[in-house]
Amino acid sequence: MFGTHDLPLFIATALVLNATPGVDLLFTLSRTLQQGWRAGVAAALGIGAGCVVHALAAAAGLAALLAASAWAFSAIKWAGAAYLFYLALGLARSALAGGGAGCAGPAVAAASLRQLFLQGFLSNALNPKVALFFLALLPQFIAPQAPHKALAFLFLGAVFVVNGTLFLLAVVALAERLRRLPLDGVPAGWLARGLHAGGAALFAGLAVRLALADHS
């Protein structure tokens, strides 16, 4: 379709990549464990929206600019690392303040869900490695003689976004079940504080990892 080929192989490859621990998977998992399934769904949908940006960029040729320009890559890389570190600071403050609501506390408010969607969106959209991934993977499944390569990019990008979002929603469902397991002898406040502290360490580590990523 649209000059693409080996679509089942593309879907299988995307699923393997989605299951590889990274910013998207760990962000969705941590938000679900901390605040429940609604927070996880908001984060997953935000990440999916960020992937849409990368798919559009690949179709427009903007991803090629990141591959060719070390300056452009570095600018987005540092912006993404700074944002992840900002998220880490917020979680650290919550842990020091007592962790907020308990692990099985009430669902987050609508405003918080919007914030979580935006966090997921920015954590993905500001990761230049995702753009380079789209640029490296998608052309392998587009025929050289495809008449409309931009449409082929958009089609494969849409498949990847749907695939990845469904996978993250499955992660949310699993994490919600784990979150509701009884933990006898562990006060909810301490559990919430531990989740926030762990999330802070996670995002700080991801920020360092992104900051140290090279252009290749």
Side-chain angles (χ1 to χ4, degrees):
M1 187 178 295
F2 301 113
T4 63
H5 59 85
D6 295 325
L7 187 58
L9 177 60
F10 174 77
I11 293 175
T13 303
L15 280 174
V16 171
L17 292 168
N18 288 325
T20 302
V23 174
D24 294 347
L25 177 60
L26 296 177
F27 181 83
T28 304
L29 182 62
S30 65
R31 288 314 194 201
T32 306
L33 291 175
Q34 289 162 7
Q35 296 178 263
W37 69 268
R38 291 180 178 84
V41 169
L45 294 179
I47 290 167
C51 282
V52 170
V53 171
H54 289 297
L56 294 174
L62 297 179
L65 172 63
L66 290 178
S69 171
W71 181 89
F73 179 89
S74 295
I76 295 184
K77 176 186 77 172
W78 285 110
Y83 186 71
L84 288 174
F85 189 68
Y86 167 77
L87 294 179
L89 288 178
L91 289 171
R93 285 196 298 268
S94 295
L96 292 175
C103 186
V108 291
S112 295
L113 293 179
R114 289 194 293 269
Q115 291 173 356
L116 291 168
F117 177 90
L118 182 61
Q119 288 173 1
F121 172 78
L122 290 177
S123 69
N124 186 278
L126 292 177
N127 189 344
K129 284 291 187 178
V130 179
L132 295 186
F133 158 75
F134 269 77
L135 188 65
L137 180 67
L138 268 59
Q140 299 182 39
F141 296 90
I142 298 175
Q145 67 275 17
H148 303 291
K149 290 186 173 57
L151 285 177
F153 266 104
L154 290 174
F155 172 71
L156 291 178
V159 171
F160 184 88
V161 170
V162 172
N163 219 33
T165 302
L166 291 176
F167 175 81
L168 290 178
L169 292 177
V171 170
V172 170
L174 177 60
E176 178 66 12
R177 291 180 64 88
L178 294 175
R179 180 175 176 268
R180 295 186 177 278
L181 290 177
L183 296 173
D184 296 334
V186 181
W190 281 103
L191 181 58
R193 177 177 289 184
L195 287 171
H196 281 85
L202 168 67
F203 288 118
L206 291 173
V208 172
R209 179 181 174 184
L210 181 57
L212 296 178
D214 55 32
H215 183 250
S216 57

